[in-house]
Amino acid sequence: MSVSRYLAVALLVPLAFGLSACSRDGESAAADVAPVIGDTAQTLVVHEGPHCGCCGVWREHMEAAGFQVDLRKTHELGAVKADAGVPRRLASCHTAQIGGYYVEGHVPADDIRRLLAESPKAIGLATPGMPQGSPGMETSTPQPYETLLVGLDGSARVFARH
């Protein structure tokens, strides 16, 4: 994907969510992916599939950390990820949006707070896969994992290690 595409995504993510052209049986996916224009910086708009259990546990982690959560259940999660510019190699089970950034997967609340405080030129954060020990994937045998900062060009670098 070109740099100009990533710049457009970074600048227009809230609009892209509201203008999704994907359809399901002739029905617009826009009902699943409503606009987020006017959202406060502390409201997480969370897009998840209708049957994911770990997504709910992650949302509880976010709410306990003080974030307001606006849940959007969808059968078109792939379209949401594509509209947000989430690289496939960094995908996880849910996608959120906050403060003009996307948050992919089981990213800890402190990483999101840091992202908002630092406001880097990026399109979002990602915790690829579903690492054991990440918020929503708690286990007695946690594994080390990283939160990645995704640049405007789709590149990724380590943002935090857990």
Side-chain angles (χ1 to χ4, degrees):
M1 191 173 289
S2 71
V3 173
S4 61
R5 166 72 171 122
Y6 277 101
L7 288 172
V9 169
L11 297 173
L12 300 173
V13 165
L15 294 175
F17 279 161
L19 300 174
S20 175
C22 297
S23 63
R24 177 179 59 245
D25 299 327
E27 177 183 328
S28 171
D32 290 333
V33 189
V36 186
I37 298 169
D39 241 5
T40 66
Q42 294 302 309
T43 299
L44 270 172
V45 177
V46 179
H47 302 274
E48 64 183 57
H51 307 294
C52 186
C54 65
C55 296
V57 180
W58 181 78
R59 277 188 283 107
E60 290 170 4
H61 168 78
M62 293 299 117
E63 289 171 336
F67 288 95
Q68 182 177 8
V69 174
D70 179 358
L71 175 62
R72 313 276 174 96
K73 293 279 191 177
T74 180
H75 291 283
E76 301 291 337
L77 197 51
V80 170
K81 291 176 189 305
D83 285 349
V86 177
R88 287 185 182 178
R89 71 186 188 287
L90 302 180
S92 187
C93 57
H94 56 267
T95 302
Q97 179 189 13
I98 188 166
Y101 295 101
Y102 77 74
V103 177
E104 181 68 11
H106 294 265
V107 175
D110 286 344
D111 293 354
I112 298 170
R113 280 195 197 96
R114 180 178 155 209
L115 173 76
L116 296 172
E118 293 179 5
S119 298
K121 291 184 180 178
I123 58 174
L125 294 177
T127 298
M130 299 168 68
Q132 297 298 304
S134 62
M137 297 297 296
E138 289 83 359
T139 179
S140 61
T141 56
Q143 66 185 44
Y145 68 95
E146 298 173 334
T147 298
L148 304 175
L149 179 69
V150 182
L152 300 176
D153 63 355
S155 63
R157 67 172 178 83
V158 175
F159 186 75
R161 287 187 168 89
H162 305 281

